[in-house]
Amino acid sequence: MSKFSILSLVLFFAVFVGCNKKDSKSGGAFSSSVAERTYVAPGEHDEFYAFLSGGFSGQMSVYGLPSGRLLKVIPVFSQDAEKGWGYNEETKPMLNTSFGFVPWDDSHHPDLSQTNGELDGRWAFINGNNTPRVARVSLETFETEEILEIPFTAGNHASTFVTENTEYLVGATRFSIPINDEDMSIEEYKSNFKGAISFVSIDQEHGHMDLAFQIHTPGYNFDLSHPGRGKSHGWFFFTTYNTEEAHTLLEVNASQNDKDYIVAVNWKKAEEYIKEGKFTVKKAEYAHNLYDEETHTAVSTMKNEVKVLDSNLPGLMYLLPTPKSPHGCDVDPSGEYIVGNGKLAADLTVHSFDKMLKAIEAKKFVGESYGIPILDYDEVVAGVVKQPGLGPLHTEFDGKGNAYTTFFISSEVVKWKLGTWEVVDRQPTFYSPGHLMIPGGNSQKPFGKYLIAMNKITKDRYLPTGPEMNHSAQLFDISGEKMELLSDFPTIGEPHYAAGIPSEKITGKSKKIYNISDNKHPYATTAANQARVERKGNDVHIYMTMIRSNFSPDNIEGIRLGDTVYFHVTNLEQDFDVPHGFSMMGANNAEILVMPGQTETLVWTPKKAGVWPFYCTDFCSALHQEMQGYIRVSPQGSNVPLAWSLGEPVKTAEQHR
Amino acid sequence: MSKFSILSLVLFFAVFVGCNKKDSKSGGAFSSSVAERTYVAPGEHDEFYAFLSGGFSGQMSVYGLPSGRLLKVIPVFSQDAEKGWGYNEETKPMLNTSFGFVPWDDSHHPDLSQTNGELDGRWAFINGNNTPRVARVSLETFETEEILEIPFTAGNHASTFVTENTEYLVGATRFSIPINDEDMSIEEYKSNFKGAISFVSIDQEHGHMDLAFQIHTPGYNFDLSHPGRGKSHGWFFFTTYNTEEAHTLLEVNASQNDKDYIVAVNWKKAEEYIKEGKFTVKKAEYAHNLYDEETHTAVSTMKNEVKVLDSNLPGLMYLLPTPKSPHGCDVDPSGEYIVGNGKLAADLTVHSFDKMLKAIEAKKFVGESYGIPILDYDEVVAGVVKQPGLGPLHTEFDGKGNAYTTFFISSEVVKWKLGTWEVVDRQPTFYSPGHLMIPGGNSQKPFGKYLIAMNKITKDRYLPTGPEMNHSAQLFDISGEKMELLSDFPTIGEPHYAAGIPSEKITGKSKKIYNISDNKHPYATTAANQARVERKGNDVHIYMTMIRSNFSPDNIEGIRLGDTVYFHVTNLEQDFDVPHGFSMMGANNAEILVMPGQTETLVWTPKKAGVWPFYCTDFCSALHQEMQGYIRVSPQGSNVPLAWSLGEPVKTAEQHR
């Protein structure tokens, strides 16, 4: 659709929705009704949580639906000065990788834990696409608790989708590479560059992630994936593009084949092979970063080997030909239909799981690729949606037999029927939607009330903000026969994907505070009268407490240039939503923001002699402005004794006794 | 108000607004009317821009009103992985200070440029409270263009309010310090620790900031400030607390005096003193960071001296006694009334500018503090608002004779009349508002339609997100006699303050793209056929272009371990809202996000030999997934020649000619 057509549609739509249409339910103006349906009155709560990836922000954003309000940005893969994430000593190890400290990633696809194919509200997962990683976020604390690097992989795009009992989440290579880091010319790509599909197991008690095994594959670009469910539980499906194995000017050279593949992986079979020892162990260094709940600190350990299966092991993997450079790989709630969103294809292709099993049984193969059987397209296709739009990217389901697909080029969401493949509705989006989300859409039980389209191009949708505009989401009501556009809301970074869940699956277990008596941080100070300062050579450890509205200690002397000062700051509050912040003038380390009952550490290397203030950075009470202190830094060689104040003149350790 | 009372109010309010009250205008349910009034239909635009400080995020957030939608987060004082701010080579110098690179600050008080006392939509300013700095943001590009460090200052809180022709913005010390960095005991605070008030001049053509002069003052804590306007133009008013000059346990020790001071500074008189040479020049190192529009790069220079005036120069400064630990210092649109929001005072104190002038003329002094005359309270007070609430923090004005004050402890906004001092309305807020904002409230011409309260405590206002909740803003309609609560919306970081402006003052001049022909970046590549790679010793410079949907070059060989690789990436697009991103696997430097017509530089130090992909991180077209490339890193000492591909096999420089 041309820009002109898009603009016409905007104008048409604005007039149509704003002025004419009546809402039969309330008798009022349609716009009033729409306004009401997105409005969450002060003090009332949204119906759904929506977890949107941050894309190039590297984080995960939490929105409420239907209001579109940004409830929180959860720091995951990127440093976040707001929360001290990746700056304080407790969280720095979370951003460690085999490449060292990596301050950023490109987060792509959140998914939510499931039990028996239904959302269970335990964890959210999200992948890092650039430095290949996957992360787990607790839905009790809304904090990132674990990050695992994925070896032998470049561009971990087809991630983090989970199986229906959260047995595994997956990762897969987007940019195939010479998998043993060999010094190989890029010109030798074909046949030599390889991909990897990773199965990461999830410990059901704590959620801990472990790289169970990898399958090393031909050098396709893996794009997206979805688990089988119900009858197809035990299988996982991945879209590929660049089955041409091109390595330059991919926009042309990877768009040659009429069909690429959906790769079907039988992971139950993979488990058997692993059990039978039919794997090789490959050496690879990759980081596993785990937040320890006991000590409120993170530990990064380096792992060094992976169990690898060959992709041509019998029965492990099959290729379903799918037109053309498919992006989304979406499995319907029944587990029968696998939608290949061929972004350059005229039609939308839907494969049948039952037909696939039969075709495998009957060996309906049309060839093989690097030893992997290629199934006969005609034997596996369930149907096609004929010319539904241009540039399909992603399909979700409402649990009522309908599917919804985004079309990037024709800028629309199209609703169609599973089984009959007929288009039953289409609504324009503004502009160029990438992905869409229906809460529970990747499960056996979607909640088909709302749909959000995540649009890639914003242009005139909001007040201008210079050359850069926030990306735009659009909320649709899909409870009726026709989709209704309710609202536009701007988003953080670039939401590539989202996962939604009814709020009641989370709210009851949301953690309010950290119990101070459970604080096992090695430098915790759990009562103000235990606050103190200790020197160990050139390291000075300050055991500090915060409570409305003072620091203990609040005056410190006897620091010398050349010292490294560790502020170990414990928030003694035991009241919900009373964090304290701590900042130190000129610190090269951002600030820290400490939740009730927690301890965090800020390291400061004074640059100049003098007296420097510190203060609370989170307005905590009517006397927050008074929550401050001073630290005196003397020149090197000074004999000012170490001394501190607990609301009185400074005293030495001896005098404090 | 107790927690219980607050909760009762919530319940009462929810029931009252949600169910019972009728709206007389539409005849519909009240809630429907309210919903409509905050609803901005898809494709329509908000009426106002609101610039909210990020507090401990260090940034500035741009919201639309009445929708409460987050239009953009403008990176200012903190690194921002999302936009590459403080990570790419072009913006790293913006975060330089006399303490070195500081990755974070605590941004507090945005203000907007004015002409003749009215908002003009040229620039926004904001202060860093921790590492004392002020910043200027262009309202054409919504980018930070300049950051100036403030010397002799710790905690630059009473900033960045501007005079009515944007002649100056101010800064002032919150935490007085031994001003020459002497190695002095904190116990010697009284009389020895000093404050500083800074006047930063603004060049009217480019907005460039310069520290015109400072006034060094007694060791009070300066809190907030506002300029005189109209008849009081030429004066600036600052609240102080801790006139007790306490240095420990300030919540007790700085709350002793019944009255602290509002400091009135005659800056026209200061200008005379400067002209007459009645200043001393003090040595101090402070950074001035300027974004060069020609080259799209930032330069940090270190300044080294300041002109300093003594605070007891005749006629320069007067002290207006003001109960008790006043926070906000607010001047009404006429310039006559100066409101001191005494956070521990029973009443709200309003001083009269006319009375102040008369009292100065008649020498109605009751004493002096460090040589500065203290005016007789009774001679300067215009009136008091009797027991309006508990814990007043900040007052704004609607231009119709009304003032609105936030009360932190009693959690409400109170509307009262200038001149009669009578309370005319009060509305509860949820919970504990710090500041409030009426667009244009700090000018001669407020736009008295909306008010937002920025609340410090959130608790149950939104779906829970673990121990940490986003802070909450509330939007009121103040166009009628009574304030009406319209909506709650969560905010980023901690908005301490905000400034709002009607959208039409900005939209017309908002920049859409950077003209590629104006790109004077030293490493720009303004056409794809000029893309190339150059080695200079161990530095490799890659002159790269991006356009939908490919990189030139897209395959690069001949890099060796030990090299430092500079990707100078130019976005050739000349279409609005088509940024491209660029990321490199394992880079320790975040990514870059390049706007149309711009060049940015990412530095990469390869850690391992192998072939590593790079790709576009901002979904730019239907073939965005294909926008990728590879870089081959060979071991040290390798003789693989430097070669690159422009969509064909790699060639050396020689072969490319």
Side-chain angles (χ1 to χ4, degrees), chain A residues 13-282:
Chain A
F13 199 74
V15 171
F16 186 66
V17 170
C19 310
N20 296 333
K21 200 172 171 186
K22 296 289 177 188
D23 174 44
S24 57
K25 276 181 287 188
S26 74
F30 177 74
S31 64
S32 143
S33 166
V34 169
E36 268 179 78
R37 279 145 67 196
T38 67
Y39 182 69
V40 176
E44 292 181 12
H45 287 181
D46 279 291
E47 293 171 60
F48 292 92
Y49 286 94
F51 298 87
L52 276 65
S53 71
F56 46 76
S57 88
Q59 319 294 40
M60 185 155 69
S61 310
V62 187
Y63 287 85
L65 298 181
S67 73
R69 295 181 297 187
L70 176 61
L71 302 177
K72 185 175 181 178
V73 173
I74 301 173
V76 186
F77 295 114
S78 296
Q79 285 186 301
D80 183 348
E82 180 180 344
K83 298 175 176 76
W85 181 258
Y87 292 99
N88 63 41
E89 298 308 297
E90 286 72 16
T91 58
K92 271 183 195 167
M94 294 299 282
L95 301 186
N96 193 38
T97 74
S98 65
F99 300 94
F101 182 86
V102 173
W104 167 86
D105 210 319
D106 179 19
S107 66
H108 263 252
H109 312 118
D111 203 8
L112 299 171
S113 59
Q114 300 186 20
T115 301
N116 297 326
E118 295 185 16
L119 302 182
D120 59 25
R122 291 181 291 168
W123 305 298
F125 302 95
I126 193 164
N127 61 317
N129 183 52
N130 183 37
T131 301
R133 287 177 283 179
V134 292
R136 179 175 54 82
V137 170
S138 160
L139 295 183
E140 283 183 15
T141 61
F142 284 62
E143 304 254 356
T144 302
E145 291 190 335
E146 192 172 5
I147 294 180
L148 178 69
E149 192 178 351
I150 307 286
F152 298 123
T153 300
N156 177 40
H157 195 271
S159 185
T160 58
F161 309 99
V162 301
T163 55
E164 68 179 10
N165 291 298
T166 322
E167 295 95 338
Y168 296 104
L169 62 78
V170 300
T173 294
R174 178 162 152 208
F175 311 113
S176 288
I177 47 174
I179 212 151
N180 296 317
D181 288 7
E182 290 154 289
D183 182 30
M184 176 181 282
S185 172
I186 304 163
E187 302 297 331
E188 297 177 66
Y189 184 108
K190 206 158 198 162
S191 307
N192 294 311
F193 282 36
K194 296 293 174 192
I197 289 175
S198 301
F199 280 81
V200 174
S201 61
I202 314 291
D203 166 77
Q204 294 304 302
E205 193 180 352
H206 299 104
H208 293 169
M209 303 188 293
D210 188 37
L211 180 50
F213 58 89
Q214 285 192 328
I215 304 169
H216 287 184
T217 73
Y220 320 142
N221 290 27
F222 288 84
D223 204 344
L224 282 162
S225 68
H226 262 79
R229 63 182 110 255
K231 61 181 167 184
S232 53
H233 181 66
W235 289 79
F236 223 107
F237 304 93
F238 299 80
T239 42
T240 65
Y241 63 110
N242 192 25
T243 52
E244 297 86 349
E245 296 179 72
H247 62 277
T248 185
L249 203 61
L250 261 65
E251 65 177 330
V252 176
N253 297 325
S255 305
Q256 301 298 309
N257 291 348
D258 280 341
K259 294 193 178 71
D260 297 279
Y261 305 121
I262 284 179
V263 176
V265 176
N266 183 341
W267 59 261
K268 293 272 188 188
K269 178 62 90 179
E271 285 180 335
E272 287 172 30
Y273 281 131
I274 293 292
K275 198 174 284 177
E276 293 162 10
K278 292 186 176 161
F279 56 84
T280 54
V281 172
K282 285 206 174 190

Side-chain angles (χ1 to χ4, degrees), chain B residues 165-203:
Chain B
N165 290 299
T166 322
E167 295 96 337
Y168 297 104
L169 62 79
V170 299
T173 294
R174 177 162 153 208
F175 311 113
S176 288
I177 47 173
I179 212 149
N180 295 318
D181 288 7
E182 291 156 287
D183 182 29
M184 177 181 280
S185 173
I186 304 163
E187 301 298 331
E188 297 177 67
Y189 184 107
K190 205 157 199 163
S191 308
N192 293 311
F193 281 38
K194 296 293 175 191
I197 291 175
S198 302
F199 281 81
V200 174
S201 61
I202 314 292
D203 166 79

